[in-house]
Amino acid sequence: MALDKLPRHKSNDYTRDMAAARRTVVETNSGHALHHTGQYSIPPEALPGNIEGFSGIVQVPMGFAGPLLLHGEHAQGEFYVPMATTEGTLVASYSRGMSLTRAAGGITSTVIDDAMQRAPVFVFNDARAARDFGQWVTQHFEQIKAAAETTTLSGKLRDIEQYAASKMRWLRFNMTTGDAAGQNMVSKATHAACQWILAQQPPGLEHFSLAANFDTDKKHSAVNNLHSRGKRVVAEITIPAELFQPIMHCTAEDLMHQRGLSNLGAFMCGSVSNGAHFANGVAAVFLACGQDIANVAESSAGFVYTELKDNGDYYMSVTIPSLIVATYGGGTGLPTQRECLQAMDCYGAGKAYKLAEIIAATVLCGELSLASAIVSNEWVSSHDAYGRNRK
Amino acid sequence: MALDKLPRHKSNDYTRDMAAARRTVVETNSGHALHHTGQYSIPPEALPGNIEGFSGIVQVPMGFAGPLLLHGEHAQGEFYVPMATTEGTLVASYSRGMSLTRAAGGITSTVIDDAMQRAPVFVFNDARAARDFGQWVTQHFEQIKAAAETTTLSGKLRDIEQYAASKMRWLRFNMTTGDAAGQNMVSKATHAACQWILAQQPPGLEHFSLAANFDTDKKHSAVNNLHSRGKRVVAEITIPAELFQPIMHCTAEDLMHQRGLSNLGAFMCGSVSNGAHFANGVAAVFLACGQDIANVAESSAGFVYTELKDNGDYYMSVTIPSLIVATYGGGTGLPTQRECLQAMDCYGAGKAYKLAEIIAATVLCGELSLASAIVSNEWVSSHDAYGRNRK
Amino acid sequence: MALDKLPRHKSNDYTRDMAAARRTVVETNSGHALHHTGQYSIPPEALPGNIEGFSGIVQVPMGFAGPLLLHGEHAQGEFYVPMATTEGTLVASYSRGMSLTRAAGGITSTVIDDAMQRAPVFVFNDARAARDFGQWVTQHFEQIKAAAETTTLSGKLRDIEQYAASKMRWLRFNMTTGDAAGQNMVSKATHAACQWILAQQPPGLEHFSLAANFDTDKKHSAVNNLHSRGKRVVAEITIPAELFQPIMHCTAEDLMHQRGLSNLGAFMCGSVSNGAHFANGVAAVFLACGQDIANVAESSAGFVYTELKDNGDYYMSVTIPSLIVATYGGGTGLPTQRECLQAMDCYGAGKAYKLAEIIAATVLCGELSLASAIVSNEWVSSHDAYGRNRK
Amino acid sequence: MALDKLPRHKSNDYTRDMAAARRTVVETNSGHALHHTGQYSIPPEALPGNIEGFSGIVQVPMGFAGPLLLHGEHAQGEFYVPMATTEGTLVASYSRGMSLTRAAGGITSTVIDDAMQRAPVFVFNDARAARDFGQWVTQHFEQIKAAAETTTLSGKLRDIEQYAASKMRWLRFNMTTGDAAGQNMVSKATHAACQWILAQQPPGLEHFSLAANFDTDKKHSAVNNLHSRGKRVVAEITIPAELFQPIMHCTAEDLMHQRGLSNLGAFMCGSVSNGAHFANGVAAVFLACGQDIANVAESSAGFVYTELKDNGDYYMSVTIPSLIVATYGGGTGLPTQRECLQAMDCYGAGKAYKLAEIIAATVLCGELSLASAIVSNEWVSSHDAYGRNRK
């Protein structure tokens, strides 16, 4: 009855043989073959640091949306945007938005903030000791920064936000992390900084913990909305009135009215986003490009803001406050993921902002397309045509 | 300068040739090869309904965590849990939690609610007409239900929540959707129901929209937290005090104290979860098992509740209020994804609750492991050992 | 050094003498006279049930805003609205809004929901027992209702919402409470209902508590926003474009643009209201009319929704989801408070909806006035003219 | 049918005669006397800046809770705390908490942050211009500060937080305001600072508004929770285990368990406070002491954090992140209100922190008392004894 632990090789666990051995155990237990999961071209020896107990792969279909016309500070020109998904209609819908925005002259995309966090908590005997510690931290920022940066070449401690309640002081370390997403980098650096702090024996310190939900990691929060996590990116465009009807089968006025309803709906139901489906675009590009898909939790929140201009043109923007992207490290170097990044010239050093700009612009296209489909009453019918609803 | 639209075949777009043709265009434009993305064993002809413009695949490494010992109503016994990820430490950490919970006798997991939503909004001349409409809807529930269910064999309209502000009435349709995630099914059914409603010409109706952010789809919200979206699942266990030190290198008291800090941190920073990283487990199983990873947005929120018993034992539970899972439809039928589901006997009809139970239990194991690592100060060192931090 | 307990009379504590005796002790201790607090016309013998240790009064200045022209279902015609405040500009600002809305033909105000809550929590051995209990409650609603209603003549148990997490089940009792605010009535009734439930010995019950923050009482919450607490009221009006400039020195377009900014600001900063200052109007009428001013916590949240009509007219609405009002009981019967209620014919039986309509309309006027002041850049100058800023 | 505007005297509107004249009009219209509202000892000539259209007063009963034993940095020793309320049980309940905390050696109370806000928004052509403006503001802080401080002697611009979305930049001005609450002071100063900024002609500026819901004024918000508005105050105490049973009829373990339930309830229902009823204590002291009771909206939010010590003692703290208090200006100088402040030696210059410490400690006592009543099942019965429920 009791299952065995899966086999593990002490010195060389990342081989086709070991993956097969593990699959065999699972197959034997379940009575179902693991055939396709064993079909892969990626080299197992590339996988340490990405997974433990490697046993095969998942093959996720990928398509390109676009071309997307973009005027970023880093991403300039046209792009085919790789999206990996199993949800019908998705690529087609984003492509439709890209058509309209391209016809309108392209999207402007801008990274307006950038930092990754870890937020240790220091617990004191009482609130006064905690408050005094807060002042001490401000005064000793340079030493803390030096201690943090001993652990990393590319990470820089930008500043430390402080949050206080009861006898606690949370320090929210904000680091720039180059082209890595940087969660582990910041953990290490913050850990080192805290070791230095602890060595100074802050008066009245009762307890310390490297994390207690104030980062906030792998979940949306108000603090992330306000102060960003990863990149804060805006994509925006002004679309001439006359373009809507031919491509979207609705008017800018229709969209503006729908925006009012969507704003109120999102506000009243306590949504983390007043957009329709940021998560779809974020998740599909994340998956294609080797990003951490658990970060869809944070990166799917955001804001849509629109204006109907006096001449009938439609200004539309999306803001993603916590877009966590990397073009180096994590899953970016795996073969298929790297290829998807390279298809946009987004792999490696100096490319993280470019990728962030592309994702934000992609999200805008998806918002535009879905909102138009709802307004023009084409939403259900488009899913009938492309999605699993089809007869 | 201007890029071409990617080639599309009018009658037969889902072929290896068309995928290759599209890759070629992208390769030519970018100057980078798309070699690995072209290496796949899945048949393109299976992909209509899952993606448009199919161009290749993303290969994501997959490993099995476990064995997980579970006493669900549907999932009973031990399971190897497939997790697809590119984040080092993740599988190892979940496996560690599975070791402890297995030693403690296993996890109890229960689906306590289940419905999928679509929430159209009806706008009236004034608030009174909207209020009257709300009463009319209640009185005509059976007809509305009949109209909705004309579009689906497996979907059933359970009830309609009503939300009101200004001159608007949002109707939040709750449907059970069998083993499908059901978003499209519910869209179609709600659309049909609304067509019937509109045909009755509700007095004072000014405007109608099939969606305005009250579902809430692809984003977390308070309404989802309160009233669920997909499955609401609880996993729980009482762990004997003496098991902590050997496996987790900490005590139940340590964890209970950390929980207090994490609760306050999450509450003060406005987090959608008081857990540490639900999203990691949810995303990795979702990806392996063909779920819609955009739903990580909703499914990553949740609650941890713990008690320190008089005898020192530790009661721990996780509640996932909006776990959106399918064992049929969407990406579940694709070859590698289906194999992963089959490895747990979770593919096809009658398996959705079982999968939900397994995921919730997996999430509990991850919470246990990470909290212990933080408390025992092993968090950074474990990432050094397994993750991309390693030298 | 140690202060004495204040004197208390065993049999007759509500007298001018006892109030004076207590003031004397405080005066002696502080060295400051309590002269004005001893000047009152209200009879101490009326105060049992309103305060313990009665020692005098606070005199709060009161003025009338208006006339307010209103087309409620209960409040019809014109009203002078009593407002008690110490904040300059407030009465003048609300009166200005009343001028414009009166010129525009008056406000429509509608109560669209009504219930008061208490939310006991039942803790079980595990989530399954809690889920089963939930079903049992649904099946035994009539008995629970009967038990609840044994304690009250005017209170009726409308329904019980259920909320679940971990091994807990919160039952949110919704009662209509006639013209009383009803918190204590609902506490008593819920207590009785729970005693009946407990007597049935629900299987697996581990613990019970009459309240655990799910009511939510004396604080704002998402659940109140969604499901109301007290009255849910809408006030709305369509204002002809040409009226704005003469009275408000701005245009409807200006206000519509400002609304877009205010919506985004409120959403991003996690505000409980997208209005400007509901609390001012609510608090001032509450205080004048003997309402519980602690309920400003709940009653100050709300939604503003506006539309710019094709002809340039401006539709504006405010929705107060949790307006807790009484025209009977609590402080409503005290002499000055009763007089203020009577000035609007709002005292006693059958008047609670009328008062709710008037307050919502008043809040609308305040929103209109302040938004216009901000837009026309008159905000600071008006406070210079009327407020404590004045030279 | 149409009501007249109430009489106003052009040069001298703050007289007993004018108040009586207005009451007469209202009486005539309503047919009800305004007798008691005309009974007041406060001099009308003191009221300009506090109210327009002064017509009389509301008399609110006031009692003293306590004595409260406090070890603040400003409030040291014992205090009778004035509370104005019409809600039975309230003063008795707070007094009970004061008894326990006094027996336990007194409460420690600490102001840990202090600033008042105004948050203008600057709208630009695009997000890049908005981002550049943000940097320009940082570089020109000294000039902006100088411009702001031209309008005030006591207000100091501490710092400017920046928040960004779309093409907008909100500047959240944080000022210290001495012993005034300071909303108007900060409005004036921010207005002056913005005039200076506008005179520099920021490139790409499209629009400016002095406020758009980011302050956040007269409403709760996440940004207030995180960054305070007014005073951020903590009150805390460690209570010996043996004191609970005699005074509270429960144990520390009971309270700790209830805290766990209350934390989860508050978190799941999206409450702004995990406390039971901060608003009651805040509102009653605010009203007695001439504070702006509309600020109950912000000041009623907060956090309770507790620990059960190894020896069974109970650490309890309350944190009020946005307590808006004044001991100068506003309603503090009115006769009865000033007397209440003086009873605690809290009137005038240098007393605002002292008042904040007392209010936080009072709130703690109320939380302790109500939580104990719930746990010991005395809640309903105490309202029967003291409140309007009584037979």
Side-chain angles (χ1 to χ4, degrees), chain C residues 119-121 170 209-215, chain D residues 258 261-266 374:
Chain C
V121 63
W170 276 267
S209 178
L210 189 54
N213 270 349
F214 227 108
D215 311 298
Chain D
Q258 173 74 13
L261 299 174
S262 294
N263 281 348
L264 182 57
I374 292 172

Side-chain angles (χ1 to χ4, degrees), chain D residues 285-326:
Chain D
V285 181
F286 270 27
L287 183 51
C289 295
Q291 310 300 305
D292 182 352
I293 59 166
N295 290 136
V296 170
E298 296 114 309
S299 300
S300 57
F303 318 117
V304 175
Y305 175 79
T306 64
E307 288 178 1
L308 191 61
K309 296 293 186 182
D310 288 343
N311 65 356
D313 290 355
Y314 191 61
Y315 170 84
M316 179 175 186
S317 66
V318 301
T319 303
I320 306 178
S322 296
L323 185 66
I324 303 176
V325 290

Side-chain angles (χ1 to χ4, degrees), chain B residues 179-198:
Chain B
D179 292 287
Q183 289 103 324
N184 293 342
M185 181 196 300
V186 178
S187 292
K188 273 182 79 102
T190 304
H191 182 260
C194 290
Q195 293 304 313
W196 182 85
I197 292 171
L198 295 172

Side-chain angles (χ1 to χ4, degrees), chain D residues 114-137:
Chain D
D114 176 22
M116 180 47 62
Q117 292 77 31
R118 186 56 60 199
V121 61
F122 294 78
V123 185
F124 292 84
N125 293 334
D126 58 27
R128 276 176 217 168
R131 182 189 60 188
D132 293 347
F133 172 70
Q135 293 164 348
W136 181 89
V137 166

Side-chain angles (χ1 to χ4, degrees), chain A residues 268, chain B residues 162-166 168-170, chain C residues 112 225-226 232 303 319:
Chain A
M268 189 159 81
Chain B
Q162 298 194 20
Y163 296 99
S166 186
M168 273 73 84
R169 204 85 179 178
W170 277 267
Chain C
I112 60 173
N225 254 11
L226 292 167
R232 191 177 195 91
F303 317 118
T319 303

